[in-house]
Amino acid sequence: MEKEEKQGIYAEQTIYDSVLEQSAEIDCIVPDYCPEVFRTLSGSLSPRIMSYAVSSDGKLSIDGEIIARAVYANEEGGQLCCVTGRTTFSKTVDIGSYAENVNITLSESYCTCRAVSQRRIDVRGAISVGIKAFGCTTVNQPDIPDGLELKTEEISCAGKTLFSSKKLVIREEIDTGASGISFIMDSSAVPKITDLRIVADKAVVKGTVCIEALYGLALPDSSASAQAEKMSADVPVSAILDVTGISDEYTVIPSISVLGFELIPRTESGVMSCEITAECSLKAAAESKVKIASDAYSTSFETETATGKIKLGSVPKPVSQSFQLKLSVKNDTDIASVWDTRAEIRNAAARVVENELVLSGLLRCKAYGKSADGTVFCIEKQEPFEQKLLSGISENSSVNFSTVVSGTSFAIMPDNALEITAMCDVSGDMREIIAYDALTSARILEDKPKQNDGEFAIRICYADEPRDCWDIAKEYNTTVSALLEENTADDENKLEGMIVVPYI
């Protein structure tokens, strides 16, 4: 029985959960065929993961690339252009131990751009590297000697968590319908799960990656642009994951993450070459019934025991919710047209407040367009937010989630402000973490035998209120089974009134 308990009690473990920062300084050189820089409009950093690996001793190695993008206007202010630069980075993080599942998210932390000269723009900033590493550990149970009376409790918890993942590289040609594209001003890639099927130790995960981009329309004999347009396209993603032992009894939490993507426009046509590096992954768990020993004694010898707390989690439940956030930004001059609005959530964190799950973070919005005087503009703003997600949440809940902005809309207000609405999606899983009292050690003191009065076969005691059979048996040095055999009880765990206590 003890061997089965040791093999069958598992706990999903968060091995590492932290956000690191990687600085970036990139020079964007303006080619001779581009107009000179007069006024910078915006700068951005687009990071992507080239590869990552976890060693057996818990060292996570990440290799990545950061693409810097600087958008500027010409002297007249009616045309804009975009230049880019690149740099690579490598990070090694000690996450403590080998992890079966690692989630890495990259995002821009902050970015500034400054025109050093009419042919050079200095882009500086930092990216955030969010790392979450998970594993499944066996709960350590003590070696309990034979001959002890054990108080056990059968509990329901999650069994061994199964993990699986697969990386994919997807290449697509996206036709925007434009006559020509000069450059990409801004872009994003948002993944979404559309289907999940479990078949014979395999899981089929299907989804899409929604690509959105704002691009400058090509002008004849010019690398600049006087007009920008927005493009969106859904790129299908699917993967077959090997998951030994999985069945319909398991609760499965699938996910798709975009490790990196790049759009390469063709100036002679409206086609963009799209390359996406995605990772399809899942974790799965089923309910398990296990027995935990919380107390022990010997009827023949004195016993030395120690107890402690073990924490076990329930089977995770999927979390999926959508909500909207609004933010107002204002332009210095009257707005004639808006090409695109974009939004992102930074520093998202969840906490339980009065049995409600509350999400907080920073909402950053950006808008591109043209003013009434014909000059192009890019305005941006960020402000903190709090959003209630779920009610009836326990303080013992553990939540693992990701938050993305799936789309935006806008309205031009009478005071010339833009009210931007961000559609936000939260997905992940939640489980209850419950602490149980359990034996951590038990030792029979064979040099201290118990003395029983051999003149009597039974003893009579009285209980005014129901008492636990285990407490009575331990107090009078008998067994629970012997107590129940001598007494009639409505509840097999409780006795009251006159109680017959047999000697062992």
Side-chain angles (χ1 to χ4, degrees), residues 306-381:
T307 60
K309 296 285 188 182
I310 62 171
K311 293 183 177 181
L312 300 178
S314 64
V315 174
K317 298 179 181 179
V319 174
S320 179
Q321 190 165 342
S322 300
F323 60 93
Q324 294 183 354
L325 297 174
K326 295 181 183 292
L327 187 148
S328 293
V329 295
K330 197 166 185 179
N331 194 33
D332 294 334
T333 58
D334 291 341
I335 296 174
S337 62
V338 177
W339 295 330
D340 191 16
T341 54
R342 311 194 69 79
E344 63 176 337
I345 289 178
R346 295 179 172 180
N347 306 328
R351 67 188 191 280
V352 178
V353 180
E354 297 179 351
N355 295 327
E356 289 186 321
L357 184 64
V358 178
L359 180 72
S360 60
L362 290 173
L363 175 66
R364 181 198 181 203
C365 293
K366 184 186 292 187
Y368 297 91
K370 252 190 179 182
S371 301
D373 60 5
T375 60
V376 295
F377 69 81
C378 175
I379 50 178
E380 59 181 282
K381 182 182 178 181

Side-chain angles (χ1 to χ4, degrees), residues 160-459:
K160 185 176 182 180
T161 304
L162 307 178
F163 297 98
S164 184
S165 63
K166 180 179 288 186
K167 296 184 184 65
L168 306 168
V169 177
I170 306 150
R171 296 178 177 87
E172 288 279 340
E173 298 290 305
I174 302 173
D175 191 351
T176 65
S179 59
I181 301 173
S182 290
F183 46 79
I184 307 293
M185 295 171 59
D186 212 329
S187 60
S188 62
V190 177
K192 182 180 180 181
I193 297 286
T194 58
D195 191 23
L196 171 69
R197 295 184 182 182
I198 307 300
V199 182
D201 287 344
K202 296 185 185 296
V204 181
V205 178
K206 293 184 179 181
T208 60
V209 176
C210 180
I211 302 294
E212 289 192 350
L214 179 67
Y215 59 91
L217 292 173
L219 291 173
D221 302 323
S222 175
S223 59
S225 179
Q227 184 72 22
E229 287 188 357
K230 181 180 178 180
M231 173 278 296
S232 64
D234 288 333
V235 178
V237 179
S238 63
I240 300 175
L241 306 180
D242 293 322
V243 196
T244 303
I246 198 169
S247 67
D248 292 336
E249 296 179 356
Y250 279 75
T251 297
V252 183
I253 313 293
S255 65
I256 299 176
S257 58
V258 176
L259 302 182
F261 84 104
E262 186 175 8
L263 295 173
I264 301 175
R266 298 180 185 174
T267 56
E268 73 281 359
S269 68
V271 176
M272 295 183 187
S273 296
C274 174
E275 181 177 291
I276 303 170
T277 303
E279 184 173 54
C280 294
S281 60
L282 65 78
K283 70 176 180 179
E287 186 177 10
S288 175
K289 299 284 188 179
V290 297
K291 284 187 177 181
I292 294 179
S294 58
D295 199 2
Y297 67 92
S298 169
T299 57
S300 302
F301 301 93
E302 297 294 332
T303 309
E304 188 178 85
T305 63
T307 60
K309 296 285 188 182
I310 62 171
K311 293 183 177 181
L312 300 178
S314 64
V315 174
K317 298 179 181 179
V319 174
S320 179
Q321 190 165 342
S322 300
F323 60 93
Q324 294 183 354
L325 297 174
K326 295 181 183 292
L327 187 148
S328 293
V329 295
K330 197 166 185 179
N331 194 33
D332 294 334
T333 58
D334 291 341
I335 296 174
S337 62
V338 177
W339 295 330
D340 191 16
T341 54
R342 311 194 69 79
E344 63 176 337
I345 289 178
R346 295 179 172 180
N347 306 328
R351 67 188 191 280
V352 178
V353 180
E354 297 179 351
N355 295 327
E356 289 186 321
L357 184 64
V358 178
L359 180 72
S360 60
L362 290 173
L363 175 66
R364 181 198 181 203
C365 293
K366 184 186 292 187
Y368 297 91
K370 252 190 179 182
S371 301
D373 60 5
T375 60
V376 295
F377 69 81
C378 175
I379 50 178
E380 59 181 282
K381 182 182 178 181
Q382 71 177 23
E383 62 182 29
F385 73 89
E386 279 197 353
Q387 176 71 31
K388 294 180 181 179
L389 296 179
L390 301 172
S391 300
I393 305 300
S394 166
E395 294 288 343
N396 298 321
S397 297
S398 173
V399 182
N400 175 45
F401 70 98
S402 62
T403 307
V404 297
V405 175
S406 57
T408 60
S409 61
F410 68 91
I412 302 177
M413 309 306 289
D415 61 352
N416 202 46
L418 273 178
E419 184 181 74
I420 300 174
T421 301
M423 280 69 79
C424 309
D425 295 333
V426 176
S427 61
D429 61 89
M430 179 174 61
R431 57 197 174 103
E432 294 294 313
I433 306 297
I434 303 175
Y436 297 92
D437 293 319
L439 279 178
T440 56
S441 65
R443 187 166 67 95
I444 298 175
L445 305 180
E446 296 183 353
D447 58 339
K448 294 183 179 181
K450 288 183 176 180
Q451 301 298 322
N452 289 330
D453 193 343
E455 297 182 3
F456 304 98
I458 62 171
R459 180 173 179 174

Side-chain angles (χ1 to χ4, degrees), residues 14-39:
T14 301
I15 297 171
Y16 189 87
D17 187 357
S18 186
V19 178
L20 311 177
E21 197 168 86
Q22 171 69 44
S23 61
E25 296 184 11
I26 305 173
D27 283 339
C28 296
I29 306 301
V30 179
D32 293 338
Y33 52 82
C34 292
E36 293 181 343
V37 179
F38 181 76
R39 176 171 58 96

Side-chain angles (χ1 to χ4, degrees), residues 447-478:
D447 58 339
K448 294 183 179 181
K450 288 183 176 180
Q451 301 298 322
N452 289 330
D453 193 343
E455 297 182 3
F456 304 98
I458 62 171
R459 180 173 179 174
I460 304 297
C461 68
Y462 293 88
D464 295 332
E465 296 180 351
R467 289 191 62 190
D468 190 272
C469 286
W470 174 266
D471 295 335
I472 298 171
K474 185 176 181 181
E475 180 181 348
Y476 293 103
N477 197 42
T478 186

Side-chain angles (χ1 to χ4, degrees), residues 11-205:
E12 184 182 329
Q13 181 184 20
T14 301
I15 297 171
Y16 189 87
D17 187 357
S18 186
V19 178
L20 311 177
E21 197 168 86
Q22 171 69 44
S23 61
E25 296 184 11
I26 305 173
D27 283 339
C28 296
I29 306 301
V30 179
D32 293 338
Y33 52 82
C34 292
E36 293 181 343
V37 179
F38 181 76
R39 176 171 58 96
T40 57
L41 295 177
S42 71
S44 62
L45 298 174
S46 299
R48 61 176 181 168
I49 299 171
M50 309 301 289
S51 64
Y52 74 89
V54 183
S55 63
S56 58
D57 59 350
K59 299 294 191 299
L60 171 64
S61 301
I62 304 172
D63 293 315
E65 182 182 47
I66 302 174
I67 301 175
R69 186 181 287 119
V71 180
Y72 67 91
N74 65 354
E75 186 172 358
E76 291 76 20
Q79 292 186 357
L80 66 157
C81 199
C82 180
V83 289
T84 60
R86 298 170 185 261
T87 188
T88 58
F89 70 93
S90 296
K91 293 190 83 70
T92 300
V93 183
D94 187 354
I95 62 175
S97 63
Y98 178 76
E100 296 176 81
N101 179 253
V102 179
N103 297 333
I104 305 174
T105 57
L106 301 183
S107 61
E108 178 187 294
S109 180
Y110 68 92
C111 180
T112 62
C113 64
R114 180 176 64 93
V116 179
S117 68
Q118 293 179 327
R119 287 292 172 187
R120 180 177 152 218
I121 300 176
D122 183 20
V123 180
R124 298 191 178 192
I127 63 168
S128 296
V129 184
I131 302 171
K132 290 184 179 181
F134 304 93
C136 191
T137 60
T138 304
V139 176
N140 292 325
Q141 293 287 284
D143 291 326
I144 300 177
D146 295 331
L148 285 179
E149 297 296 314
L150 288 179
K151 183 181 183 181
T152 61
E153 177 186 5
E154 186 177 70
I155 62 173
S156 296
C157 61
K160 185 176 182 180
T161 304
L162 307 178
F163 297 98
S164 184
S165 63
K166 180 179 288 186
K167 296 184 184 65
L168 306 168
V169 177
I170 306 150
R171 296 178 177 87
E172 288 279 340
E173 298 290 305
I174 302 173
D175 191 351
T176 65
S179 59
I181 301 173
S182 290
F183 46 79
I184 307 293
M185 295 171 59
D186 212 329
S187 60
S188 62
V190 177
K192 182 180 180 181
I193 297 286
T194 58
D195 191 23
L196 171 69
R197 295 184 182 182
I198 307 300
V199 182
D201 287 344
K202 296 185 185 296
V204 181
V205 178

